[in-house]
Amino acid sequence: MHNDTGERRSRGSRPRRLLGAVGLAGVMLASLLVGTADGIPATAATTTTPGPLWPTGDWLATLNFYRAQAGLAPVGNSASRSAGAAAHAKYQVLNNAISESEDPAKPGYSAAGNAAAAVGNLAIGDARAALPAATDVESLFTAPQSAVSMLETDLESVGYGAFTDASRTGYQWSSVLDVGGYTGDYAEADYPVMFPGEGAVVPLTRLDASEQPNALESCPPSYSATKDGDGFPIVGAPIVVVWSPTADPEVTGSTLTKRGEGALEHCLVDVDSYVFLVPKSPLVPSKTYDVTVTVDGHDIAWSFSVSQRPPYWTGWDIVRGVGGGEGYSGYILDGWGGIHPYGVSPTLSGGPYWKGWDIARGVTVKGTKGYVLDGWGGLHKLGGAAAATGGPYWRNWDIARGVDAKSNLAGGVVVDGWGGLHAFGNTSGLSFAGAPYWTGWDIVRDVALNPAGSGGWTLDGWGGIHAWGGAPQVKGGPYWKGWDIAQGLKVDTDGKNGFVVDGWGGLHPFKIG
């Protein structure tokens, strides 16, 4: 994410040592919709910061999500640090400049703001640069020097604040992330920290080149040759390795490979206690990357994947289901039948599509095959699945609400709006005992089977998840009392984790058992 006509300044920096550009020859030391091409119009499907996989509207959850992708513990929001951050953000706009300290003689000075200025990741720009808080914090992880400040093992508390005044000339928006809440209690054994870490799945594809000091100043000029409409270079998101603040490792090389496609040209920059790799081209969603960094005579090697973001339609209750994938991957179904892969899930072929008709009601995907449920109970093949046999059908009555199938797609269950469970195919061993039922109240929104196919869970419109057939109870998860906004339910194959999707596309995790 980039700031129009503005800049970012990271919390401190150290002199960088150029290792050079890494080329293909080695180290040189010195939302597709299925069923129609049209899909839901892009003007209506405005993607914003996604749900809790990439949290909606919550800057702290966003920060902690990305720390988790490096294997780090969450941090807390310090009210005093956030107040200071907000004060300094206002000071920067009032004085039309980015500033690492405050002058008592200038408008907006405060002791709290001055303290935040000294330990903050700072941003400033015109009104076009103003970002939602979660998006703003997320973008810091694509600016390597700012990212390092959020990836220390002893970071315990942070604060965030922003200020906008579109009526002003010059700079109109500013934000500050105070990252001064370090404890000093760290161990060498806690390092190195890699970001994105081993097995991480992140939606970050491109470097935030608005950061100062310039992350590309040690890279060859060709890395700054291709620019976007705001004049920022178009290169890949940084890959960071952080050692303890007192370490000074000897880094002698690196490799970066797009799995199955070969080595990638990148620039390796050493900053004493951390290094970062900048791929010459943006990273590609649904791809896995293998990294090695050679330090003190041995290789650190790991892999991560780049994910597609889930779709998100702010204020439009158009999502009707979720299924497939594991963890941070899967498929979201919209009301017209569009299937939207997210995470690292591949695009599926086939499937129904009803342009302009909100009649799709549920989806189940096992591997790359599955079914889409319509409101009358019809099950439509997806990804080359065999035709489903049996099952309910209510012609001209939009009452079917959700579907799930066994792992082999041999059978499954459809749930109606009142909670009635209706089997299709082979459902031997499946018990409906204890399933909820609301006579005459169309409040049920989806159903999910446990991995054994012996029981499952029913989702109501408020987000309540009801176990039946011997399935364990869930922990956590969303709940919107009195608001019929929950729309889909999926459970991972380990039977320990699941997700609820709301009508706008927000994804909300929960635990099982």
Side-chain angles (χ1 to χ4, degrees):
M1 191 63 65
H2 305 275
N3 289 318
D4 299 327
T5 64
E7 67 172 292
R8 283 197 180 282
R9 189 165 298 174
S10 63
R11 172 189 165 269
S13 63
R14 302 178 186 179
R16 282 172 283 170
R17 296 195 300 266
L18 173 65
L19 288 183
V22 179
L24 299 180
V27 177
M28 299 165 48
L29 290 181
S31 295
L32 181 60
L33 304 180
V34 174
T36 177
D38 293 331
I40 293 181
T43 53
T46 302
T47 302
T48 65
T49 307
L53 301 187
W54 302 284
T56 301
D58 187 332
W59 66 266
L60 184 63
T62 299
L63 192 156
N64 283 328
F65 167 79
Y66 285 108
R67 279 180 59 86
Q69 301 310 301
L72 298 175
V75 298
N77 175 22
S78 164
S80 60
R81 291 188 182 279
S82 287
H88 188 61
K90 184 175 182 178
Y91 175 93
Q92 292 188 133
V93 172
L94 292 178
N95 292 283
N96 200 36
I98 198 164
S99 174
E100 295 174 350
S101 64
E102 293 190 3
D103 183 342
K106 290 186 176 181
Y109 170 83
S110 68
N114 188 48
V119 293
N121 289 321
L122 314 175
I124 198 167
D126 66 20
R128 294 177 299 151
L131 300 172
T135 305
D136 190 23
V137 169
E138 180 183 70
S139 71
L140 291 171
F141 284 94
T142 65
Q145 296 152 113
S146 298
V148 167
S149 71
M150 301 180 289
L151 293 171
E152 297 290 359
T153 62
D154 62 328
L155 184 61
E156 185 175 71
S157 64
V158 295
Y160 177 85
F163 179 77
T164 303
D165 184 353
S167 67
R168 299 182 63 86
T169 57
Y171 292 129
Q172 301 164 320
W173 169 82
S174 174
S175 71
V176 176
L177 178 70
D178 180 324
V179 289
Y182 299 101
T183 66
D185 183 17
Y186 62 86
E188 296 292 335
D190 295 333
Y191 294 91
V193 173
M194 289 87 78
F195 179 83
E198 170 62 34
V201 180
V202 297
L204 309 178
T205 61
R206 186 180 158 193
L207 176 90
D208 184 343
S210 67
E211 183 182 47
Q212 295 297 327
N214 179 9
L216 297 177
E217 68 182 6
S218 296
C219 295
S222 60
Y223 281 69
S224 300
T226 303
K227 293 181 169 61
D228 63 18
D230 296 315
F232 294 115
I234 300 174
V235 293
I239 302 160
V240 181
V241 185
V242 184
W243 287 272
S244 76
T246 58
D248 187 15
E250 182 181 1
V251 179
T252 55
S254 61
T255 66
L256 175 62
T257 303
K258 186 190 298 182
R259 188 172 294 176
E261 299 185 31
L264 300 178
E265 184 176 353
H266 62 282
C267 179
L268 175 62
V269 180
D270 182 3
V271 197
D272 294 337
S273 63
Y274 68 93
V275 299
F276 58 89
L277 289 68
V278 180
K280 192 171 185 181
S281 298
L283 302 180
V284 180
S286 299
K287 298 294 183 179
T288 297
Y289 293 85
D290 300 308
V291 190
T292 64
V293 174
T294 303
V295 54
D296 296 335
H298 70 277
D299 289 342
I300 301 172
W302 77 100
S303 302
F304 68 93
S305 298
V306 177
S307 58
Q308 301 178 77
R309 295 178 181 274
Y312 195 74
W313 296 275
T314 304
W316 189 15
D317 184 357
I318 192 60
V319 170
R320 295 296 174 260
V322 63
E326 290 294 308
Y328 304 132
S329 298
Y331 301 89
I332 286 178
L333 173 74
D334 68 53
W336 299 3
I339 301 289
H340 307 260
Y342 65 90
V344 294
S345 293
T347 299
L348 299 181
S349 61
Y353 196 72
W354 302 273
K355 185 176 181 180
W357 187 15
D358 182 0
I359 195 61
R361 292 294 174 262
V363 63
T364 180
V365 180
K366 308 300 176 183
T368 57
K369 299 179 180 180
Y371 302 102
V372 171
L373 173 75
D374 68 45
W376 299 359
L379 288 169
H380 305 263
K381 296 182 293 182
L382 182 63
T389 60
Y393 194 70
W394 300 274
R395 185 176 181 84
N396 294 323
W397 187 16
D398 182 2
I399 195 62
R401 291 295 174 261
V403 61
D404 199 12
K406 291 188 173 184
S407 59
N408 60 3
L409 293 178
V413 62
V414 169
V415 67
D416 65 49
W418 299 1
L421 298 171
H422 310 267
F424 65 90
N426 181 1
T427 55
S428 60
L430 178 60
S431 169
F432 295 161
Y437 193 75
W438 294 271
T439 304
W441 189 13
D442 182 2
I443 193 57
V444 170
R445 294 297 170 259
D446 205 359
V447 64
L449 296 178
N450 62 14
S454 58
W457 299 268
T458 296
L459 174 73
D460 69 49
W462 297 3
I465 303 172
H466 310 265
W468 46 266
Q473 299 296 320
V474 306
K475 299 178 180 178
Y479 194 70
W480 301 274
K481 185 175 181 180
W483 188 15
D484 183 1
I485 194 62
Q487 290 289 358
L489 177 70
K490 85 176 184 94
V491 172
D492 286 349
T493 56
D494 63 5
K496 298 178 181 179
N497 300 280
F499 296 88
V500 170
V501 66
D502 64 49
W504 300 1
L507 285 157
H508 310 267
F510 61 86
K511 298 288 186 181
I512 299 172

PDB file of all heavy atoms in Angstrom, residues 321-353:
ATOM      1  N   GLY A 321     -21.902 -18.324   1.321  1.00  0.00           N
ATOM      2  CA  GLY A 321     -21.304 -19.541   1.844  1.00  0.00           C
ATOM      3  C   GLY A 321     -19.797 -19.510   1.769  1.00  0.00           C
ATOM      4  O   GLY A 321     -19.184 -18.651   1.127  1.00  0.00           O
ATOM      5  N   VAL A 322     -19.176 -20.497   2.446  1.00  0.00           N
ATOM      6  CA  VAL A 322     -17.728 -20.659   2.429  1.00  0.00           C
ATOM      7  C   VAL A 322     -17.432 -22.144   2.527  1.00  0.00           C
ATOM      8  O   VAL A 322     -18.163 -22.900   3.168  1.00  0.00           O
ATOM      9  CB  VAL A 322     -17.071 -19.882   3.599  1.00  0.00           C
ATOM     10  CG1 VAL A 322     -17.533 -20.419   4.946  1.00  0.00           C
ATOM     11  CG2 VAL A 322     -15.556 -19.884   3.487  1.00  0.00           C
ATOM     12  N   GLY A 323     -16.365 -22.577   1.871  1.00  0.00           N
ATOM     13  CA  GLY A 323     -16.015 -23.987   1.934  1.00  0.00           C
ATOM     14  C   GLY A 323     -14.641 -24.243   1.379  1.00  0.00           C
ATOM     15  O   GLY A 323     -14.003 -23.355   0.794  1.00  0.00           O
ATOM     16  N   GLY A 324     -14.168 -25.468   1.572  1.00  0.00           N
ATOM     17  CA  GLY A 324     -12.915 -25.904   0.986  1.00  0.00           C
ATOM     18  C   GLY A 324     -11.698 -25.307   1.639  1.00  0.00           C
ATOM     19  O   GLY A 324     -11.773 -24.458   2.525  1.00  0.00           O
ATOM     20  N   GLY A 325     -10.527 -25.776   1.187  1.00  0.00           N
ATOM     21  CA  GLY A 325      -9.270 -25.244   1.675  1.00  0.00           C
ATOM     22  C   GLY A 325      -9.005 -25.619   3.123  1.00  0.00           C
ATOM     23  O   GLY A 325      -9.821 -26.245   3.801  1.00  0.00           O
ATOM     24  N   GLU A 326      -7.853 -25.212   3.585  1.00  0.00           N
ATOM     25  CA  GLU A 326      -7.442 -25.414   4.965  1.00  0.00           C
ATOM     26  C   GLU A 326      -6.967 -24.093   5.529  1.00  0.00           C
ATOM     27  O   GLU A 326      -6.264 -23.338   4.849  1.00  0.00           O
ATOM     28  CB  GLU A 326      -6.303 -26.444   5.047  1.00  0.00           C
ATOM     29  CG  GLU A 326      -6.721 -27.867   4.730  1.00  0.00           C
ATOM     30  CD  GLU A 326      -7.687 -28.428   5.764  1.00  0.00           C
ATOM     31  OE1 GLU A 326      -7.370 -28.371   6.975  1.00  0.00           O
ATOM     32  OE2 GLU A 326      -8.755 -28.907   5.370  1.00  0.00           O
ATOM     33  N   GLY A 327      -7.338 -23.802   6.773  1.00  0.00           N
ATOM     34  CA  GLY A 327      -6.850 -22.591   7.411  1.00  0.00           C
ATOM     35  C   GLY A 327      -7.166 -21.359   6.604  1.00  0.00           C
ATOM     36  O   GLY A 327      -8.331 -21.040   6.343  1.00  0.00           O
ATOM     37  N   TYR A 328      -6.106 -20.670   6.173  1.00  0.00           N
ATOM     38  CA  TYR A 328      -6.251 -19.388   5.498  1.00  0.00           C
ATOM     39  C   TYR A 328      -6.527 -19.532   4.005  1.00  0.00           C
ATOM     40  O   TYR A 328      -6.143 -18.673   3.217  1.00  0.00           O
ATOM     41  CB  TYR A 328      -4.996 -18.556   5.710  1.00  0.00           C
ATOM     42  CG  TYR A 328      -4.636 -18.354   7.154  1.00  0.00           C
ATOM     43  CD1 TYR A 328      -3.337 -18.570   7.604  1.00  0.00           C
ATOM     44  CD2 TYR A 328      -5.588 -17.951   8.079  1.00  0.00           C
ATOM     45  CE1 TYR A 328      -3.003 -18.393   8.939  1.00  0.00           C
ATOM     46  CE2 TYR A 328      -5.265 -17.771   9.400  1.00  0.00           C
ATOM     47  CZ  TYR A 328      -3.965 -17.992   9.833  1.00  0.00           C
ATOM     48  OH  TYR A 328      -3.641 -17.808  11.148  1.00  0.00           O
ATOM     49  N   SER A 329      -7.167 -20.604   3.605  1.00  0.00           N
ATOM     50  CA  SER A 329      -7.500 -20.826   2.199  1.00  0.00           C
ATOM     51  C   SER A 329      -8.906 -21.391   2.086  1.00  0.00           C
ATOM     52  O   SER A 329      -9.425 -21.995   3.027  1.00  0.00           O
ATOM     53  CB  SER A 329      -6.508 -21.804   1.552  1.00  0.00           C
ATOM     54  OG  SER A 329      -5.198 -21.297   1.579  1.00  0.00           O
ATOM     55  N   GLY A 330      -9.516 -21.193   0.922  1.00  0.00           N
ATOM     56  CA  GLY A 330     -10.855 -21.723   0.701  1.00  0.00           C
ATOM     57  C   GLY A 330     -11.550 -20.993  -0.423  1.00  0.00           C
ATOM     58  O   GLY A 330     -10.919 -20.362  -1.283  1.00  0.00           O
ATOM     59  N   TYR A 331     -12.891 -21.065  -0.401  1.00  0.00           N
ATOM     60  CA  TYR A 331     -13.723 -20.476  -1.452  1.00  0.00           C
ATOM     61  C   TYR A 331     -14.915 -19.781  -0.824  1.00  0.00           C
ATOM     62  O   TYR A 331     -15.575 -20.331   0.071  1.00  0.00           O
ATOM     63  CB  TYR A 331     -14.215 -21.553  -2.423  1.00  0.00           C
ATOM     64  CG  TYR A 331     -13.089 -22.293  -3.098  1.00  0.00           C
ATOM     65  CD1 TYR A 331     -12.541 -23.429  -2.511  1.00  0.00           C
ATOM     66  CD2 TYR A 331     -12.555 -21.842  -4.294  1.00  0.00           C
ATOM     67  CE1 TYR A 331     -11.487 -24.107  -3.108  1.00  0.00           C
ATOM     68  CE2 TYR A 331     -11.505 -22.515  -4.907  1.00  0.00           C
ATOM     69  CZ  TYR A 331     -10.978 -23.646  -4.301  1.00  0.00           C
ATOM     70  OH  TYR A 331      -9.931 -24.309  -4.897  1.00  0.00           O
ATOM     71  N   ILE A 332     -15.196 -18.570  -1.291  1.00  0.00           N
ATOM     72  CA  ILE A 332     -16.383 -17.837  -0.858  1.00  0.00           C
ATOM     73  C   ILE A 332     -17.385 -17.827  -2.003  1.00  0.00           C
ATOM     74  O   ILE A 332     -17.036 -17.571  -3.159  1.00  0.00           O
ATOM     75  CB  ILE A 332     -16.009 -16.413  -0.410  1.00  0.00           C
ATOM     76  CG1 ILE A 332     -15.310 -16.483   0.956  1.00  0.00           C
ATOM     77  CG2 ILE A 332     -17.234 -15.505  -0.335  1.00  0.00           C
ATOM     78  CD1 ILE A 332     -14.854 -15.153   1.492  1.00  0.00           C
ATOM     79  N   LEU A 333     -18.638 -18.097  -1.672  1.00  0.00           N
ATOM     80  CA  LEU A 333     -19.736 -18.125  -2.633  1.00  0.00           C
ATOM     81  C   LEU A 333     -20.552 -16.849  -2.516  1.00  0.00           C
ATOM     82  O   LEU A 333     -20.979 -16.475  -1.416  1.00  0.00           O
ATOM     83  CB  LEU A 333     -20.641 -19.331  -2.344  1.00  0.00           C
ATOM     84  CG  LEU A 333     -21.947 -19.429  -3.144  1.00  0.00           C
ATOM     85  CD1 LEU A 333     -21.663 -19.857  -4.579  1.00  0.00           C
ATOM     86  CD2 LEU A 333     -22.922 -20.390  -2.465  1.00  0.00           C
ATOM     87  N   ASP A 334     -20.782 -16.149  -3.641  1.00  0.00           N
ATOM     88  CA  ASP A 334     -21.697 -15.019  -3.601  1.00  0.00           C
ATOM     89  C   ASP A 334     -23.097 -15.458  -4.022  1.00  0.00           C
ATOM     90  O   ASP A 334     -23.301 -16.576  -4.512  1.00  0.00           O
ATOM     91  CB  ASP A 334     -21.185 -13.851  -4.439  1.00  0.00           C
ATOM     92  CG  ASP A 334     -21.170 -14.108  -5.948  1.00  0.00           C
ATOM     93  OD1 ASP A 334     -22.233 -14.498  -6.484  1.00  0.00           O
ATOM     94  OD2 ASP A 334     -20.123 -13.901  -6.585  1.00  0.00           O
ATOM     95  N   GLY A 335     -24.073 -14.597  -3.830  1.00  0.00           N
ATOM     96  CA  GLY A 335     -25.463 -14.961  -4.051  1.00  0.00           C
ATOM     97  C   GLY A 335     -25.824 -15.256  -5.487  1.00  0.00           C
ATOM     98  O   GLY A 335     -26.859 -15.880  -5.757  1.00  0.00           O
ATOM     99  N   TRP A 336     -24.980 -14.839  -6.425  1.00  0.00           N
ATOM    100  CA  TRP A 336     -25.243 -15.122  -7.836  1.00  0.00           C
ATOM    101  C   TRP A 336     -24.595 -16.419  -8.302  1.00  0.00           C
ATOM    102  O   TRP A 336     -24.754 -16.822  -9.454  1.00  0.00           O
ATOM    103  CB  TRP A 336     -24.725 -13.977  -8.704  1.00  0.00           C
ATOM    104  CG  TRP A 336     -25.371 -12.659  -8.433  1.00  0.00           C
ATOM    105  CD1 TRP A 336     -26.309 -12.362  -7.488  1.00  0.00           C
ATOM    106  CD2 TRP A 336     -25.103 -11.429  -9.119  1.00  0.00           C
ATOM    107  NE1 TRP A 336     -26.646 -11.034  -7.531  1.00  0.00           N
ATOM    108  CE2 TRP A 336     -25.925 -10.431  -8.527  1.00  0.00           C
ATOM    109  CE3 TRP A 336     -24.262 -11.074 -10.154  1.00  0.00           C
ATOM    110  CZ2 TRP A 336     -25.922  -9.110  -8.957  1.00  0.00           C
ATOM    111  CZ3 TRP A 336     -24.252  -9.756 -10.583  1.00  0.00           C
ATOM    112  CH2 TRP A 336     -25.075  -8.784  -9.989  1.00  0.00           C
ATOM    113  N   GLY A 337     -23.821 -17.046  -7.402  1.00  0.00           N
ATOM    114  CA  GLY A 337     -23.154 -18.290  -7.738  1.00  0.00           C
ATOM    115  C   GLY A 337     -21.679 -18.146  -8.007  1.00  0.00           C
ATOM    116  O   GLY A 337     -21.007 -19.137  -8.298  1.00  0.00           O
ATOM    117  N   GLY A 338     -21.129 -16.923  -7.930  1.00  0.00           N
ATOM    118  CA  GLY A 338     -19.700 -16.730  -8.152  1.00  0.00           C
ATOM    119  C   GLY A 338     -18.884 -17.407  -7.066  1.00  0.00           C
ATOM    120  O   GLY A 338     -19.207 -17.314  -5.879  1.00  0.00           O
ATOM    121  N   ILE A 339     -17.832 -18.119  -7.482  1.00  0.00           N
ATOM    122  CA  ILE A 339     -16.932 -18.799  -6.554  1.00  0.00           C
ATOM    123  C   ILE A 339     -15.608 -18.042  -6.528  1.00  0.00           C
ATOM    124  O   ILE A 339     -14.938 -17.919  -7.551  1.00  0.00           O
ATOM    125  CB  ILE A 339     -16.680 -20.257  -6.984  1.00  0.00           C
ATOM    126  CG1 ILE A 339     -17.990 -21.041  -7.054  1.00  0.00           C
ATOM    127  CG2 ILE A 339     -15.688 -20.919  -6.030  1.00  0.00           C
ATOM    128  CD1 ILE A 339     -18.603 -21.348  -5.715  1.00  0.00           C
ATOM    129  N   HIS A 340     -15.218 -17.545  -5.355  1.00  0.00           N
ATOM    130  CA  HIS A 340     -14.040 -16.705  -5.206  1.00  0.00           C
ATOM    131  C   HIS A 340     -12.985 -17.435  -4.376  1.00  0.00           C
ATOM    132  O   HIS A 340     -13.146 -17.578  -3.161  1.00  0.00           O
ATOM    133  CB  HIS A 340     -14.402 -15.393  -4.511  1.00  0.00           C
ATOM    134  CG  HIS A 340     -15.543 -14.665  -5.153  1.00  0.00           C
ATOM    135  ND1 HIS A 340     -15.370 -13.604  -6.005  1.00  0.00           N
ATOM    136  CD2 HIS A 340     -16.893 -14.865  -5.074  1.00  0.00           C
ATOM    137  CE1 HIS A 340     -16.550 -13.165  -6.420  1.00  0.00           C
ATOM    138  NE2 HIS A 340     -17.485 -13.917  -5.871  1.00  0.00           N
ATOM    139  N   PRO A 341     -11.893 -17.907  -4.986  1.00  0.00           N
ATOM    140  CA  PRO A 341     -10.831 -18.534  -4.194  1.00  0.00           C
ATOM    141  C   PRO A 341     -10.084 -17.495  -3.372  1.00  0.00           C
ATOM    142  O   PRO A 341      -9.925 -16.349  -3.784  1.00  0.00           O
ATOM    143  CB  PRO A 341      -9.925 -19.160  -5.258  1.00  0.00           C
ATOM    144  CG  PRO A 341     -10.160 -18.349  -6.486  1.00  0.00           C
ATOM    145  CD  PRO A 341     -11.584 -17.883  -6.423  1.00  0.00           C
ATOM    146  N   TYR A 342      -9.626 -17.896  -2.197  1.00  0.00           N
ATOM    147  CA  TYR A 342      -8.765 -17.033  -1.395  1.00  0.00           C
ATOM    148  C   TYR A 342      -7.671 -17.881  -0.770  1.00  0.00           C
ATOM    149  O   TYR A 342      -7.719 -19.110  -0.800  1.00  0.00           O
ATOM    150  CB  TYR A 342      -9.563 -16.268  -0.330  1.00  0.00           C
ATOM    151  CG  TYR A 342     -10.193 -17.124   0.739  1.00  0.00           C
ATOM    152  CD1 TYR A 342      -9.505 -17.434   1.913  1.00  0.00           C
ATOM    153  CD2 TYR A 342     -11.482 -17.622   0.592  1.00  0.00           C
ATOM    154  CE1 TYR A 342     -10.082 -18.214   2.898  1.00  0.00           C
ATOM    155  CE2 TYR A 342     -12.063 -18.403   1.570  1.00  0.00           C
ATOM    156  CZ  TYR A 342     -11.361 -18.703   2.721  1.00  0.00           C
ATOM    157  OH  TYR A 342     -11.938 -19.482   3.697  1.00  0.00           O
ATOM    158  N   GLY A 343      -6.685 -17.228  -0.198  1.00  0.00           N
ATOM    159  CA  GLY A 343      -5.529 -17.964   0.309  1.00  0.00           C
ATOM    160  C   GLY A 343      -4.756 -18.530  -0.860  1.00  0.00           C
ATOM    161  O   GLY A 343      -4.438 -17.845  -1.826  1.00  0.00           O
ATOM    162  N   VAL A 344      -4.448 -19.816  -0.791  1.00  0.00           N
ATOM    163  CA  VAL A 344      -3.692 -20.465  -1.863  1.00  0.00           C
ATOM    164  C   VAL A 344      -4.550 -21.478  -2.615  1.00  0.00           C
ATOM    165  O   VAL A 344      -4.033 -22.340  -3.311  1.00  0.00           O
ATOM    166  CB  VAL A 344      -2.414 -21.146  -1.308  1.00  0.00           C
ATOM    167  CG1 VAL A 344      -1.451 -20.112  -0.775  1.00  0.00           C
ATOM    168  CG2 VAL A 344      -2.753 -22.159  -0.219  1.00  0.00           C
ATOM    169  N   SER A 345      -5.856 -21.369  -2.499  1.00  0.00           N
ATOM    170  CA  SER A 345      -6.754 -22.282  -3.204  1.00  0.00           C
ATOM    171  C   SER A 345      -6.778 -21.960  -4.694  1.00  0.00           C
ATOM    172  O   SER A 345      -6.839 -20.790  -5.081  1.00  0.00           O
ATOM    173  CB  SER A 345      -8.168 -22.192  -2.632  1.00  0.00           C
ATOM    174  OG  SER A 345      -8.204 -22.679  -1.301  1.00  0.00           O
ATOM    175  N   PRO A 346      -6.758 -22.985  -5.548  1.00  0.00           N
ATOM    176  CA  PRO A 346      -6.784 -22.743  -6.995  1.00  0.00           C
ATOM    177  C   PRO A 346      -8.183 -22.378  -7.475  1.00  0.00           C
ATOM    178  O   PRO A 346      -9.186 -22.640  -6.794  1.00  0.00           O
ATOM    179  CB  PRO A 346      -6.341 -24.085  -7.580  1.00  0.00           C
ATOM    180  CG  PRO A 346      -6.811 -25.092  -6.573  1.00  0.00           C
ATOM    181  CD  PRO A 346      -6.651 -24.428  -5.233  1.00  0.00           C
ATOM    182  N   THR A 347      -8.259 -21.809  -8.656  1.00  0.00           N
ATOM    183  CA  THR A 347      -9.536 -21.512  -9.276  1.00  0.00           C
ATOM    184  C   THR A 347     -10.240 -22.822  -9.654  1.00  0.00           C
ATOM    185  O   THR A 347      -9.601 -23.757 -10.131  1.00  0.00           O
ATOM    186  CB  THR A 347      -9.341 -20.656 -10.533  1.00  0.00           C
ATOM    187  OG1 THR A 347      -8.732 -19.425 -10.140  1.00  0.00           O
ATOM    188  CG2 THR A 347     -10.659 -20.370 -11.228  1.00  0.00           C
ATOM    189  N   LEU A 348     -11.542 -22.893  -9.441  1.00  0.00           N
ATOM    190  CA  LEU A 348     -12.316 -24.081  -9.781  1.00  0.00           C
ATOM    191  C   LEU A 348     -13.021 -23.901 -11.122  1.00  0.00           C
ATOM    192  O   LEU A 348     -13.357 -22.786 -11.521  1.00  0.00           O
ATOM    193  CB  LEU A 348     -13.360 -24.360  -8.694  1.00  0.00           C
ATOM    194  CG  LEU A 348     -12.814 -24.634  -7.292  1.00  0.00           C
ATOM    195  CD1 LEU A 348     -13.966 -24.911  -6.331  1.00  0.00           C
ATOM    196  CD2 LEU A 348     -11.834 -25.797  -7.298  1.00  0.00           C
ATOM    197  N   SER A 349     -13.260 -25.001 -11.786  1.00  0.00           N
ATOM    198  CA  SER A 349     -13.956 -24.960 -13.070  1.00  0.00           C
ATOM    199  C   SER A 349     -15.410 -25.379 -12.894  1.00  0.00           C
ATOM    200  O   SER A 349     -15.769 -26.059 -11.932  1.00  0.00           O
ATOM    201  CB  SER A 349     -13.272 -25.901 -14.074  1.00  0.00           C
ATOM    202  OG  SER A 349     -13.309 -27.242 -13.596  1.00  0.00           O
ATOM    203  N   GLY A 350     -16.231 -24.998 -13.858  1.00  0.00           N
ATOM    204  CA  GLY A 350     -17.635 -25.384 -13.830  1.00  0.00           C
ATOM    205  C   GLY A 350     -18.395 -24.639 -12.749  1.00  0.00           C
ATOM    206  O   GLY A 350     -17.932 -23.660 -12.175  1.00  0.00           O
ATOM    207  N   GLY A 351     -19.594 -25.101 -12.489  1.00  0.00           N
ATOM    208  CA  GLY A 351     -20.417 -24.467 -11.476  1.00  0.00           C
ATOM    209  C   GLY A 351     -21.483 -23.588 -12.085  1.00  0.00           C
ATOM    210  O   GLY A 351     -21.330 -23.077 -13.204  1.00  0.00           O
ATOM    211  N   PRO A 352     -22.584 -23.385 -11.383  1.00  0.00           N
ATOM    212  CA  PRO A 352     -23.691 -22.580 -11.907  1.00  0.00           C
ATOM    213  C   PRO A 352     -23.436 -21.096 -11.732  1.00  0.00           C
ATOM    214  O   PRO A 352     -22.570 -20.682 -10.958  1.00  0.00           O
ATOM    215  CB  PRO A 352     -24.864 -23.026 -11.036  1.00  0.00           C
ATOM    216  CG  PRO A 352     -24.212 -23.306  -9.698  1.00  0.00           C
ATOM    217  CD  PRO A 352     -22.864 -23.892 -10.022  1.00  0.00           C
ATOM    218  N   TYR A 353     -24.191 -20.276 -12.443  1.00  0.00           N
ATOM    219  CA  TYR A 353     -24.120 -18.837 -12.253  1.00  0.00           C
ATOM    220  C   TYR A 353     -25.444 -18.208 -12.660  1.00  0.00           C
ATOM    221  O   TYR A 353     -25.939 -18.464 -13.763  1.00  0.00           O
ATOM    222  CB  TYR A 353     -22.978 -18.224 -13.070  1.00  0.00           C
ATOM    223  CG  TYR A 353     -22.633 -16.820 -12.609  1.00  0.00           C
ATOM    224  CD1 TYR A 353     -21.976 -16.621 -11.403  1.00  0.00           C
ATOM    225  CD2 TYR A 353     -22.991 -15.711 -13.356  1.00  0.00           C
ATOM    226  CE1 TYR A 353     -21.669 -15.347 -10.964  1.00  0.00           C
ATOM    227  CE2 TYR A 353     -22.684 -14.438 -12.918  1.00  0.00           C
ATOM    228  CZ  TYR A 353     -22.027 -14.257 -11.717  1.00  0.00           C
ATOM    229  OH  TYR A 353     -21.731 -12.991 -11.272  1.00  0.00           O
TER     230      TYR A 353
END
